Amino acid sequence: MQKRILVAGGAGFLGSHLSERLLSDGHEVTCLDNFGSGQRDNIKSFEDNPSFTLIDGDVRNPGALPPVDRIYHLASRASPADFTDFPVDIALANTKGTHRLLDHARACNARMVFASTSEVYGDPEVHPQPETYTGNVNIRGIRGCYDESKRFGETLIRSYQEEYEMDVRTVRIFNTYGPRMRPDDGRVVPTFVTQALRGDNLTIYGDGKQTRSFCYVDDLVRGLVSLMRAEDVDHDVYNMGRENEQTIKQLAKKVIDIIETNSEIIYEPLPEDDPSRRCPDISRARTELNWEPTIPLQEGLQMTVPYFKSRK
Ligand code: NAD
Ligand code: UDP
């Protein structure tokens, strides 16, 4: 059945892929975005679709929003490179912005999905990370504006659920990559791919032994939709990501091989509080939502490179 869906952050990397999928499923989509880290180009292919409406606005203070049946809250800068320059924007998008959208969901009796993050686990002491792990976050560190605001966003959601019995679901997203990330976003995949395409050296922070697990965007979008669609869920929070733990050095070598460049690897200082290991435990999503990623890293990178080639 057709739904009216608000995608906050709909001009961003994940939000634009999600909006495109929802439009192709026949829904009406309203995108709320302030273009802080989003790009107009991301919505170009569907901006003229009559079922699509753009509100150029801030989730922290969105003004009047249309009545909707579903809300996805993805409006937050997500790159660690932005944590130093935009800490207040980030902290409030995930707290005040979540508050605003919860009020709107409550007024419309809408179901909501909140995009939380693996960063709620901080530098994890438990491996891989299940949803029950409560994390190890430095609340006053450089990543605190992001990690802790996502954590409080989750707390606010729990509070609204307790008091108003609302249907709000949280997804803790692990590193996801693909076309439409900004080449200068600062996150590792767009950075390495852009450096390799330009023949520049790839900048590994630290010794490159830290790990991440990389999920291709199409798999993640399928997960977001399945979480929203499920009529009954046994839990209100799900990890989503791929379980292919890689060192950053392995990733750099993979990018160099795929692009066949003469770029070399250089080492730069590791930023403060950079998590040393990260890998999701996705048993809950696999069992309860029947969701798991299917696209291997090699294949996902090959689908990503042409986009960055056109942008370099
Ligand atoms: P992105 O930066 O491409 O997208 C974020 C979008 O939100 C952008 O279009 C930006 O302009 C918009 N935005 C930011 N602050 C806003 C504000 N105050 N008001 C209105 N719009 C605002 O990043 P992304 O990777 O697509 O991330 C989307 C969401 O998913 C974020 O909430 C992020 O925390 C979460 N997430 C992403 C990843 C990932 O690996 N991509 C991992 C964990 C969590
Ligand atoms: N990283 C790197 N070089 C870069 C960008 C990132 O070595 O040019 C590292 C970063 O220090 C981290 C990992 O790659 O260990 C993933 O970084 P990203 O910013 O993509 O996301 P994070 O998982 O840290 O939020």
Side-chain angles (χ1 to χ4, degrees):
M1 208 173 74
Q2 190 190 49
K3 302 272 186 222
R4 299 162 303 171
I5 304 178
L6 175 67
V7 181
F13 158 53
L14 294 178
S16 62
H17 284 282
L18 174 65
S19 299
E20 196 166 26
R21 160 74 196 265
L22 296 172
L23 288 166
S24 78
D25 287 348
H27 300 296
E28 276 178 28
V29 174
T30 301
C31 160
L32 169 69
D33 204 295
N34 69 354
F35 293 93
S37 55
Q39 310 182 94
R40 196 84 200 196
D41 263 6
N42 287 352
I43 58 172
K44 211 161 132 193
S45 59
F46 53 83
E47 200 173 2
D48 295 332
N49 185 322
S51 299
F52 181 76
T53 309
L54 171 66
I55 302 176
D56 187 342
D58 199 304
V59 74
R60 294 169 291 178
N61 215 350
L65 293 170
V68 287
D69 310 299
R70 304 274 186 261
I71 298 176
Y72 289 89
H73 180 11
L74 284 82
S76 166
R77 290 173 181 271
S79 171
D82 282 346
F83 297 171
T84 339
D85 291 338
F86 303 98
V88 175
D89 180 349
I90 292 168
L92 294 182
N94 291 306
T95 54
K96 196 173 171 185
T98 304
H99 181 200
R100 294 279 187 256
L101 294 183
L102 282 168
D103 277 346
H104 190 58
R106 187 170 166 232
C108 303
N109 200 19
R111 183 181 292 167
M112 177 163 150
V113 165
F114 174 56
S116 184
T117 168
S118 50
E119 285 285 319
V120 299
Y121 303 122
D123 191 3
E125 298 141 314
V126 169
H127 208 76
Q129 296 86 56
E131 290 87 347
T132 45
Y133 177 49
T134 53
N136 174 36
V137 170
N138 176 2
I139 60 169
R140 302 180 71 95
I142 198 169
R143 290 178 173 246
C145 61
Y146 185 71
D147 303 10
E148 206 56 30
S149 67
K150 291 286 190 188
R151 288 167 67 95
F152 181 71
E154 291 199 24
T155 304
L156 199 57
I157 286 165
R158 287 295 292 178
S159 309
Y160 267 65
Q161 282 168 333
E162 288 295 317
E163 202 159 328
Y164 306 123
E165 295 180 4
M166 291 173 60
D167 187 353
V168 187
R169 298 149 186 207
T170 295
V171 50
R172 293 185 182 147
I173 303 170
F174 285 64
N175 298 63
T176 302
Y177 68 96
R180 297 192 188 151
M181 296 181 97
R182 286 176 297 128
D184 61 351
D185 171 291
R187 284 178 280 185
V188 70
V189 171
T191 306
F192 283 179
V193 170
T194 304
Q195 288 169 331
L197 286 171
R198 289 181 182 152
D200 295 343
N201 293 331
L202 273 64
T203 50
I204 288 187
Y205 301 158
D207 58 12
K209 289 188 183 147
Q210 71 270 36
T211 67
R212 296 294 186 270
S213 309
F214 294 97
C215 182
Y216 188 67
V217 60
D218 290 359
D219 279 330
L220 200 277
V221 165
R222 191 166 42 78
L224 295 177
V225 171
S226 58
L227 175 59
M228 180 65 97
R229 262 201 202 147
E231 271 322 311
D232 292 306
V233 277
D234 294 335
H235 292 90
D236 64 354
V237 59
Y238 291 85
N239 284 338
M240 287 192 183
R242 198 150 186 277
E243 295 155 311
N244 64 336
E245 190 177 1
Q246 306 267 319
T247 67
I248 295 303
K249 194 167 178 181
Q250 284 170 330
L251 175 73
K253 286 186 171 161
K254 205 161 249 166
V255 169
I256 288 174
D257 282 352
I258 289 174
I259 296 179
E260 295 178 3
T261 160
N262 292 327
S263 303
E264 291 184 4
I265 289 173
I266 55 169
Y267 293 87
E268 293 188 357
L270 187 70
E272 179 192 318
D273 294 333
D274 198 292
S276 52
R277 287 188 78 180
R278 185 185 290 153
C279 184
D281 177 339
I282 57 164
S283 337
R284 193 180 273 185
R286 188 176 274 129
T287 321
E288 296 177 20
L289 303 172
N290 201 18
W291 174 85
E292 66 182 352
T294 58
I295 300 167
L297 181 57
Q298 177 89 7
E299 202 180 304
L301 287 172
Q302 275 158 346
M303 291 192 281
T304 303
V305 168
Y307 170 80
F308 287 99
K309 243 182 206 161
S310 71
R311 307 279 308 223
K312 85 180 158 98

